[in-house]
């Protein structure tokens, strides 16, 4: 049977397989007021194909979905329950250099979180790095600069 299986591989038409989605974690901010809201959102997301786990935190207004899913489809499914939803806009405060930058601090954010905005992170200045390297001991031309 080994020879027949080998030859049959040449005769069969190969089907194009779709790529499998990568394992992802999607965080969504959802306005939930009661147990019913929480249950409705959890049931809607749990029934999706590819979902491995769903965590709902009503105090933070946060839904975390892990699995082989597309983030936009998860957001669309949560919005179909009639709840206001958006992707999780916050980052932990200890990861941000300037947590009180304009637009970063949000009173409605859960404690320990700030909004994910560009102004909260330091700008990478390549010119500053070049100036520092001018006066370095490793720079051969440092004497000519001084």
């Amino acid at each position: 049977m080994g020879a027949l299986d080998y030859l049959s591989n040449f005769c069969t038409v190969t089907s194009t397989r779709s790529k499998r989605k990568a394992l992802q974690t999607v965080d969504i901010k959802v306005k939930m007021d009661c147990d019913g809201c929480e249950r409705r959102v959890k049931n809607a997301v749990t029934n999706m194909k590819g979902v491995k786990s769903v965590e709902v935190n009503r105090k933070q207004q946060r839904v975390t979905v892990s699995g082989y899913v597309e983030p936009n489809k998860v957001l669309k499914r949560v919005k179909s329950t009639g709840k206001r939803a958006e992707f999780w806009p916050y980052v932990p405060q200890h990861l941000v250099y300037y947590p009180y930058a304009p637009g970063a601090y949000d009173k409605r954010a859960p404690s320990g979180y700030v909004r994910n905005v560009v102004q909260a992170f330091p700008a990478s200045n390549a010119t500053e790095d070049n100036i520092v390297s001018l006066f370095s001991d490793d720079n051969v031309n440092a004497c000519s600069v001084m």
Side-chain angles (χ1 to χ4, degrees), residues 89-107:
Y90 305 116
V91 293
Q93 189 171 4
H94 68 277
L95 295 179
V96 178
Y97 288 100
Y98 310 112
Y100 297 106
Y105 183 72
D106 188 1
K107 289 182 180 178

Side-chain angles (χ1 to χ4, degrees), residues 23-58:
L23 182 66
Q24 296 185 31
T25 301
V26 181
D27 291 328
I28 298 176
K29 179 181 176 184
V30 183
K31 178 135 174 49
M32 295 178 285
D33 298 327
C34 61
D35 291 334
C37 300
E38 184 178 335
R39 189 174 357 97
R40 188 181 316 156
V41 170
K42 187 170 184 171
N43 287 339
V45 176
T46 304
N47 294 333
M48 288 182 68
K49 184 179 177 183
V51 172
K52 296 296 178 195
S53 69
V54 178
E55 296 175 25
V56 179
N57 188 340
R58 186 171 25 149

Side-chain angles (χ1 to χ4, degrees), residues 59-128:
K59 185 176 180 183
Q60 287 187 345
Q61 307 282 312
R62 182 179 191 170
V63 176
T64 304
V65 180
S66 297
Y68 302 98
V69 293
E70 292 182 23
N72 290 330
K73 287 186 179 181
V74 175
L75 182 64
K76 188 175 180 181
R77 178 66 68 98
V78 170
K79 283 184 176 181
S80 72
T81 63
K83 299 292 170 196
R84 220 176 348 160
E86 62 178 322
F87 288 115
W88 187 252
Y90 305 116
V91 293
Q93 189 171 4
H94 68 277
L95 295 179
V96 178
Y97 288 100
Y98 310 112
Y100 297 106
Y105 183 72
D106 188 1
K107 289 182 180 178
R108 291 174 288 163
S111 81
Y113 287 91
V114 293
R115 278 206 174 269
N116 189 8
V117 293
V118 178
Q119 296 88 356
F121 296 98
S124 174
N125 292 337
T127 57
E128 185 177 306

